[in-house]
Amino acid sequence: MQIENQLLQLPLFAEKQVTLAIKREDLLHPFISGNKYRKLKYNLLEANKMGCNTILTFGGAFSNHIAATAYSAKEKGFNSIGIIRGEELRESWRENTTLLKAHEDGMIFKFVSRGDYRKKEETSFLSDLKKEFGDFYLVPEGGTNELAVKGCQEILVSGDEKFDFICTSVGTGGTVAGLINSSFPHQKVLGFSSLKGDFLIENIEKITNNSRWELVSGYHFGGYAKISQELIHFINDFKEQNHIPLDPIYTGKMMFGLFDMVLRDTFAKGTKILIIHTGGLQGIAGMNSVLKKKNLSLLDI
């Protein structure tokens, strides 16, 4: 599926002579968020090929991946199981918009402690899950594996060759890896990390085929799922001015960081930048529930 790029009209950047366009991957599907749609595409085909009828995966309380997997599985005729980080959610998950929707889409939950959750890649832990649930097709946390990267390599198309930089948010690294692998020889891919630290660099290096990329790690706002009033105001202002919603975990931080870099003259005049909107908008309601409890400003929906 091909998504048209939308040119951003930004008077603030007129003197910078930098062109910004956005690829609205969030519009790929009404319920399956952009990059999750790409990541799950070949995984579900492989599960069907292997004769598996159940998809098992991992995620947190407001995980875009959990929401997308539940709906995708239902749409394609699979059962789905979500291993959810945080035992405290066992009694309160119905108050969580993401988990409630995933449940409505047929997902069965198993809530585990954060300690057990860290064992998600261990053979013994996965073996115990198979004893409990029977055979299943495993999709990793965030959906990132070789098949996910293959799906994300389809984001860029021939018309995107005119851009000098490709920008995307980064969680587990699968989307940025796909973009790196499919980028044109003259392009550089910038991945804006939502996580603290540079540990993702090694993971991305393992699944990419060139070095024309950089992980930008200065705009995580304290780490995954962390947010500030400054970021909230930026996201709300961006939506009001451009009629494009951003999520607070991934795309909002990426856009904030990119704007800051442009204003700091990081890019030469005449540079053309393509921004990938990876979706994640379902998480806004969940974040607002957290912000409301803290008596902080809310994100526009």
Coordinates of all heavy atoms in Angstrom, one line a residue, residues 173-237:
G173 N 13.6 -0.7 17.2 CA 14.6 -0.6 16.1 C 14.2 -1.3 14.8 O 14.9 -1.1 13.8
G174 N 13.1 -1.9 14.7 CA 12.7 -2.6 13.5 C 12.3 -1.7 12.4 O 12.7 -1.9 11.2
T175 N 11.6 -0.6 12.7 CA 11.1 0.3 11.7 C 12.3 1.1 11.1 O 12.5 1.1 9.8 CB 10.1 1.3 12.2 OG1 9.0 0.6 12.8 CG2 9.6 2.3 11.1
V176 N 13.2 1.6 11.9 CA 14.3 2.3 11.4 C 15.3 1.4 10.6 O 15.9 1.8 9.6 CB 15.1 3.0 12.6 CG1 15.9 2.0 13.4 CG2 16.0 4.1 12.0
A177 N 15.4 0.1 11.0 CA 16.2 -0.8 10.3 C 15.7 -1.0 8.9 O 16.4 -1.1 7.9 CB 16.3 -2.2 11.0
G178 N 14.3 -1.2 8.8 CA 13.7 -1.3 7.4 C 14.0 -0.1 6.6 O 14.3 -0.3 5.4
L179 N 13.9 1.1 7.2 CA 14.1 2.3 6.4 C 15.6 2.4 6.0 O 15.9 2.8 4.9 CB 13.7 3.5 7.2 CG 12.2 3.7 7.5 CD1 12.0 4.7 8.6 CD2 11.5 4.0 6.2
I180 N 16.5 2.0 6.9 CA 17.9 2.0 6.5 C 18.2 1.1 5.3 O 18.9 1.5 4.4 CB 18.8 1.6 7.8 CG1 18.7 2.7 8.8 CG2 20.2 1.4 7.4 CD1 19.2 2.2 10.2
N181 N 17.7 -0.1 5.4 CA 17.9 -1.1 4.4 C 17.4 -0.7 3.0 O 17.9 -1.0 2.0 CB 17.3 -2.4 4.8 CG 18.1 -3.1 5.9 OD1 19.2 -2.6 6.2 ND2 17.6 -4.1 6.5
S182 N 16.3 0.1 3.0 CA 15.6 0.4 1.7 C 15.9 1.9 1.3 O 15.4 2.3 0.3 CB 14.1 0.2 1.8 OG 13.5 1.0 2.8
S183 N 16.7 2.6 2.1 CA 17.0 4.0 1.7 C 17.8 4.0 0.5 O 18.5 3.1 0.1 CB 17.7 4.7 2.9 OG 18.9 4.1 3.2
F184 N 17.8 5.1 -0.2 CA 18.5 5.3 -1.4 C 20.0 5.7 -1.1 O 20.2 6.3 0.0 CB 17.9 6.4 -2.3 CG 16.5 5.9 -2.8 CD1 15.3 6.3 -2.1 CD2 16.4 5.2 -3.9 CE1 14.1 5.9 -2.5 CE2 15.1 4.8 -4.4 CZ 14.0 5.1 -3.7
P185 N 20.9 5.4 -2.0 CA 22.4 5.6 -1.6 C 22.8 7.0 -1.1 O 23.7 7.1 -0.4 CB 23.1 5.2 -2.9 CG 22.1 4.3 -3.6 CD 20.8 4.8 -3.3
H186 N 22.1 8.0 -1.6 CA 22.4 9.4 -1.2 C 21.7 9.8 0.1 O 22.0 10.9 0.6 CB 22.0 10.4 -2.3 CG 20.6 10.5 -2.5 ND1 19.9 9.5 -3.3 CD2 19.6 11.4 -2.1 CE1 18.6 9.9 -3.3 NE2 18.4 11.0 -2.6
Q187 N 20.9 9.0 0.7 CA 20.1 9.4 1.8 C 20.7 9.0 3.2 O 21.4 8.0 3.2 CB 18.7 8.8 1.7 CG 17.9 9.3 0.6 CD 16.5 8.7 0.4 OE1 16.3 7.5 0.8 NE2 15.5 9.4 -0.1
K188 N 20.4 9.7 4.2 CA 20.8 9.4 5.6 C 19.5 9.2 6.4 O 18.6 10.1 6.3 CB 21.7 10.4 6.2 CG 22.2 10.0 7.6 CD 23.2 11.0 8.1 CE 23.8 10.5 9.4 NZ 24.9 11.4 9.9
V189 N 19.4 8.2 7.2 CA 18.3 7.9 8.0 C 18.6 8.4 9.5 O 19.6 8.0 10.0 CB 17.9 6.4 8.0 CG1 16.7 6.2 9.0 CG2 17.5 6.0 6.6
L190 N 17.7 9.2 10.0 CA 17.8 9.6 11.4 C 16.7 9.0 12.2 O 15.6 9.1 12.0 CB 17.7 11.2 11.5 CG 18.7 12.0 10.8 CD1 18.4 13.5 11.0 CD2 20.1 11.7 11.2
G191 N 17.2 8.2 13.3 CA 16.2 7.6 14.1 C 16.2 8.3 15.5 O 17.2 8.4 16.2
F192 N 15.0 8.7 15.9 CA 14.9 9.5 17.2 C 14.5 8.5 18.3 O 13.3 8.0 18.2 CB 13.9 10.6 17.0 CG 14.4 11.7 16.2 CD1 14.5 11.6 14.8 CD2 14.9 12.9 16.7 CE1 14.9 12.7 14.0 CE2 15.4 14.0 15.9 CZ 15.4 13.8 14.6
S193 N 15.4 8.2 19.2 CA 15.1 7.2 20.2 C 14.2 7.7 21.3 O 14.3 8.8 21.8 CB 16.4 6.7 20.8 OG 16.1 5.8 21.8
S194 N 13.2 6.9 21.7 CA 12.3 7.2 22.8 C 12.9 6.7 24.1 O 12.3 6.9 25.2 CB 10.9 6.6 22.6 OG 10.3 7.2 21.5
L195 N 14.0 6.0 24.0 CA 14.6 5.3 25.2 C 15.9 6.0 25.6 O 16.6 6.6 24.7 CB 14.8 3.9 24.9 CG 13.7 3.1 24.3 CD1 14.1 1.7 24.0 CD2 12.5 3.0 25.3
K196 N 16.2 5.9 26.8 CA 17.5 6.4 27.3 C 18.7 5.5 26.8 O 18.5 4.3 26.8 CB 17.5 6.5 28.8 CG 16.9 7.7 29.5 CD 17.2 7.7 31.0 CE 16.6 8.9 31.6 NZ 16.9 8.9 33.1
G197 N 19.8 6.1 26.5 CA 21.0 5.4 26.2 C 21.1 5.0 24.8 O 20.2 5.2 24.0
D198 N 22.3 4.5 24.4 CA 22.6 4.2 23.0 C 22.7 2.7 22.8 O 23.3 2.2 21.8 CB 24.0 4.8 22.6 CG 23.9 6.4 22.6 OD1 22.8 6.9 22.4 OD2 24.9 7.0 22.9
F199 N 22.1 1.9 23.7 CA 22.2 0.4 23.6 C 21.5 -0.1 22.3 O 21.9 -1.2 21.8 CB 21.6 -0.2 24.8 CG 20.1 0.0 25.0 CD1 19.2 -0.8 24.4 CD2 19.7 1.2 25.7 CE1 17.8 -0.6 24.6 CE2 18.3 1.4 25.8 CZ 17.4 0.5 25.3
L200 N 20.6 0.7 21.7 CA 19.9 0.2 20.5 C 20.8 0.2 19.3 O 20.5 -0.5 18.3 CB 18.7 1.1 20.2 CG 17.4 0.8 21.0 CD1 16.4 1.9 20.7 CD2 16.8 -0.5 20.5
I201 N 21.9 0.9 19.4 CA 22.8 1.0 18.2 C 23.3 -0.4 17.8 O 23.2 -0.7 16.6 CB 24.0 1.9 18.5 CG1 23.5 3.4 18.6 CG2 25.0 1.8 17.4 CD1 24.6 4.4 19.0
E202 N 23.7 -1.2 18.8 CA 24.2 -2.5 18.5 C 23.1 -3.4 17.9 O 23.3 -4.2 16.9 CB 24.7 -3.2 19.7 CG 25.4 -4.5 19.5 CD 25.9 -5.1 20.7 OE1 26.0 -4.4 21.8 OE2 26.3 -6.3 20.7
N203 N 21.9 -3.3 18.4 CA 20.7 -4.1 17.9 C 20.4 -3.7 16.4 O 20.2 -4.6 15.6 CB 19.5 -3.8 18.7 CG 19.6 -4.4 20.1 OD1 20.5 -5.2 20.4 ND2 18.8 -3.9 21.0
I204 N 20.5 -2.4 16.1 CA 20.2 -1.9 14.8 C 21.3 -2.4 13.8 O 21.0 -2.8 12.7 CB 20.0 -0.4 14.8 CG1 18.8 0.0 15.6 CG2 19.8 0.1 13.3 CD1 18.6 1.5 15.9
E205 N 22.5 -2.3 14.2 CA 23.6 -2.7 13.4 C 23.5 -4.2 12.9 O 23.9 -4.5 11.8 CB 24.9 -2.5 14.1 CG 25.4 -1.1 14.3 CD 26.6 -0.9 15.1 OE1 26.9 -1.8 15.9 OE2 27.3 0.2 14.9
K206 N 22.9 -5.0 13.8 CA 22.8 -6.4 13.5 C 21.8 -6.7 12.3 O 21.8 -7.7 11.7 CB 22.4 -7.2 14.7 CG 23.4 -7.2 15.8 CD 22.9 -8.0 17.0 CE 23.9 -8.0 18.1 NZ 23.4 -8.6 19.4
I207 N 20.8 -5.8 12.1 CA 19.8 -6.1 11.2 C 19.7 -5.1 10.0 O 18.7 -4.9 9.3 CB 18.4 -6.1 11.9 CG1 18.2 -4.9 12.8 CG2 18.3 -7.4 12.7 CD1 16.8 -4.8 13.5
T208 N 20.8 -4.3 9.8 CA 20.9 -3.4 8.7 C 22.0 -3.7 7.8 O 23.0 -4.4 8.1 CB 21.0 -1.9 9.3 OG1 22.1 -1.9 10.2 CG2 19.8 -1.5 10.0
N209 N 22.0 -3.1 6.6 CA 23.0 -3.5 5.5 C 23.8 -2.3 5.1 O 24.5 -2.4 4.1 CB 22.3 -4.1 4.3 CG 21.2 -3.2 3.7 OD1 21.3 -2.0 3.9 ND2 20.3 -3.8 3.0
N210 N 23.7 -1.2 5.8 CA 24.6 0.0 5.4 C 24.7 0.9 6.7 O 24.1 0.7 7.7 CB 24.0 0.8 4.3 CG 22.7 1.5 4.6 OD1 22.8 2.5 5.3 ND2 21.6 1.1 4.0
S211 N 25.6 1.8 6.6 CA 25.9 2.7 7.7 C 25.5 4.1 7.5 O 25.9 5.0 8.2 CB 27.5 2.7 8.0 OG 28.1 3.1 6.8
R212 N 24.5 4.3 6.6 CA 24.0 5.7 6.4 C 22.9 6.0 7.3 O 21.8 6.3 6.9 CB 23.5 5.8 4.9 CG 24.6 5.5 3.9 CD 24.1 5.7 2.5 NE 22.8 5.1 2.2 CZ 22.7 3.8 1.7 NH1 23.8 3.1 1.5 NH2 21.5 3.3 1.5
W213 N 23.2 6.0 8.6 CA 22.2 6.3 9.6 C 22.8 6.8 10.9 O 24.0 6.6 11.1 CB 21.3 5.1 9.9 CG 22.0 3.9 10.4 CD1 22.7 3.0 9.7 CD2 22.1 3.5 11.8 NE1 23.3 2.0 10.5 CE2 22.9 2.3 11.8 CE3 21.7 4.0 13.0 CZ2 23.2 1.7 13.0 CZ3 22.0 3.4 14.2 CH2 22.7 2.2 14.2
E214 N 21.9 7.4 11.7 CA 22.4 7.9 13.0 C 21.2 7.8 14.0 O 20.1 8.1 13.6 CB 22.8 9.4 12.9 CG 23.2 10.0 14.2 CD 23.5 11.5 14.0 OE1 23.7 11.9 12.9 OE2 23.6 12.2 15.0
L215 N 21.5 7.4 15.2 CA 20.5 7.3 16.3 C 20.6 8.6 17.1 O 21.7 8.9 17.7 CB 20.8 6.1 17.2 CG 19.7 5.9 18.2 CD1 18.4 5.4 17.6 CD2 20.1 4.8 19.3
V216 N 19.5 9.4 17.1 CA 19.5 10.7 17.8 C 18.9 10.4 19.1 O 17.7 10.0 19.2 CB 18.6 11.7 17.0 CG1 18.6 13.0 17.8 CG2 19.2 11.9 15.6
S217 N 19.7 10.6 20.2 CA 19.2 10.1 21.5 C 19.0 11.3 22.5 O 18.9 11.0 23.7 CB 20.2 9.1 22.1 OG 21.5 9.7 22.1
G218 N 18.9 12.5 22.0 CA 18.8 13.6 23.0 C 17.4 14.1 23.2 O 17.2 15.2 23.8
Y219 N 16.4 13.4 22.7 CA 15.0 13.9 22.8 C 14.1 12.9 23.3 O 12.9 12.8 22.9 CB 14.5 14.4 21.4 CG 15.4 15.5 20.8 CD1 16.4 15.2 19.9 CD2 15.2 16.8 21.2 CE1 17.2 16.2 19.3 CE2 16.0 17.8 20.7 CZ 17.0 17.5 19.7 OH 17.8 18.5 19.2
H220 N 14.5 12.1 24.3 CA 13.7 11.1 24.9 C 12.8 11.6 26.1 O 12.0 10.9 26.6 CB 14.5 9.9 25.3 CG 15.7 10.3 26.2 ND1 15.5 10.8 27.5 CD2 17.0 10.2 26.0 CE1 16.7 11.0 28.1 NE2 17.6 10.7 27.2
F221 N 13.1 12.8 26.5 CA 12.3 13.5 27.6 C 12.3 12.6 28.9 O 11.3 12.5 29.6 CB 10.9 13.7 27.2 CG 10.8 14.9 26.3 CD1 11.0 14.8 24.9 CD2 10.5 16.2 26.7 CE1 10.9 15.9 24.0 CE2 10.4 17.3 25.9 CZ 10.6 17.1 24.5
G222 N 13.5 12.0 29.2 CA 13.6 11.2 30.4 C 13.4 9.7 30.2 O 13.6 9.0 31.2
G223 N 13.0 9.3 29.1 CA 12.9 7.8 28.8 C 11.6 7.5 28.3 O 10.7 8.3 28.1
Y224 N 11.4 6.2 28.1 CA 10.2 5.6 27.5 C 9.0 6.0 28.4 O 9.0 5.9 29.6 CB 10.3 4.1 27.4 CG 9.1 3.5 26.7 CD1 8.9 3.6 25.3 CD2 8.2 2.8 27.4 CE1 7.8 3.1 24.7 CE2 7.0 2.2 26.8 CZ 6.9 2.4 25.5 OH 5.8 1.8 24.9
A225 N 7.9 6.5 27.7 CA 6.6 6.8 28.4 C 6.8 8.0 29.3 O 5.8 8.3 30.0 CB 6.1 5.6 29.2
K226 N 7.9 8.7 29.3 CA 8.0 10.0 30.0 C 7.6 11.1 29.1 O 7.8 11.1 27.9 CB 9.5 10.1 30.5 CG 10.0 9.0 31.5 CD 9.2 9.1 32.8 CE 9.7 7.9 33.7 NZ 11.1 8.1 34.1
I227 N 7.1 12.2 29.8 CA 6.5 13.3 29.0 C 6.6 14.5 29.8 O 6.7 14.4 31.1 CB 5.1 13.0 28.6 CG1 4.6 14.0 27.5 CG2 4.2 12.9 29.8 CD1 3.2 13.7 27.0
S228 N 6.6 15.7 29.2 CA 6.7 17.0 29.9 C 5.6 17.9 29.4 O 5.1 17.7 28.4 CB 8.1 17.6 29.8 OG 8.2 18.1 28.4
Q229 N 5.4 19.0 30.2 CA 4.4 20.0 29.8 C 4.9 20.6 28.4 O 4.1 20.9 27.6 CB 4.3 21.0 30.8 CG 3.5 20.6 32.1 CD 2.0 20.4 31.8 OE1 1.3 21.4 31.6 NE2 1.6 19.2 31.7
E230 N 6.2 20.8 28.3 CA 6.7 21.4 27.0 C 6.4 20.5 25.8 O 5.9 21.0 24.8 CB 8.2 21.5 27.1 CG 8.9 22.2 25.9 CD 10.4 22.3 26.0 OE1 11.0 21.5 26.8 OE2 10.9 23.1 25.3
L231 N 6.5 19.2 26.0 CA 6.2 18.3 24.9 C 4.7 18.3 24.6 O 4.2 18.2 23.5 CB 6.7 16.9 25.2 CG 6.4 15.8 24.1 CD1 7.2 16.2 22.8 CD2 6.9 14.4 24.6
I232 N 3.9 18.3 25.7 CA 2.4 18.3 25.5 C 2.0 19.5 24.7 O 1.2 19.4 23.8 CB 1.7 18.3 26.9 CG1 1.9 17.0 27.6 CG2 0.2 18.6 26.7 CD1 1.5 17.0 29.1
H233 N 2.5 20.7 25.1 CA 2.2 21.9 24.4 C 2.6 21.9 22.9 O 1.9 22.3 22.0 CB 2.8 23.1 25.1 CG 2.2 23.4 26.4 ND1 0.8 23.3 26.7 CD2 2.8 23.8 27.6 CE1 0.6 23.6 28.0 NE2 1.8 23.9 28.5
F234 N 3.8 21.3 22.7 CA 4.3 21.2 21.3 C 3.4 20.3 20.5 O 3.0 20.7 19.3 CB 5.7 20.6 21.3 CG 6.2 20.3 19.9 CD1 6.8 21.3 19.2 CD2 6.1 19.0 19.4 CE1 7.3 21.0 17.9 CE2 6.6 18.7 18.1 CZ 7.2 19.7 17.4
I235 N 3.0 19.1 21.0 CA 2.1 18.2 20.3 C 0.8 18.9 19.9 O 0.3 18.8 18.8 CB 1.9 16.9 21.0 CG1 3.3 16.1 21.1 CG2 0.8 16.0 20.5 CD1 3.2 14.9 22.0
N236 N 0.2 19.5 20.9 CA -1.1 20.2 20.7 C -1.0 21.3 19.7 O -1.9 21.5 18.9 CB -1.6 20.7 22.1 CG -2.1 19.6 23.0 OD1 -2.4 18.5 22.5 ND2 -2.3 19.9 24.3
D237 N 0.1 22.1 19.8 CA 0.3 23.2 18.8 C 0.5 22.7 17.4 O 0.0 23.2 16.5 CB 1.5 24.1 19.2 CG 1.2 24.9 20.5 OD1 0.1 25.1 20.8 OD2 2.2 25.4 21.1

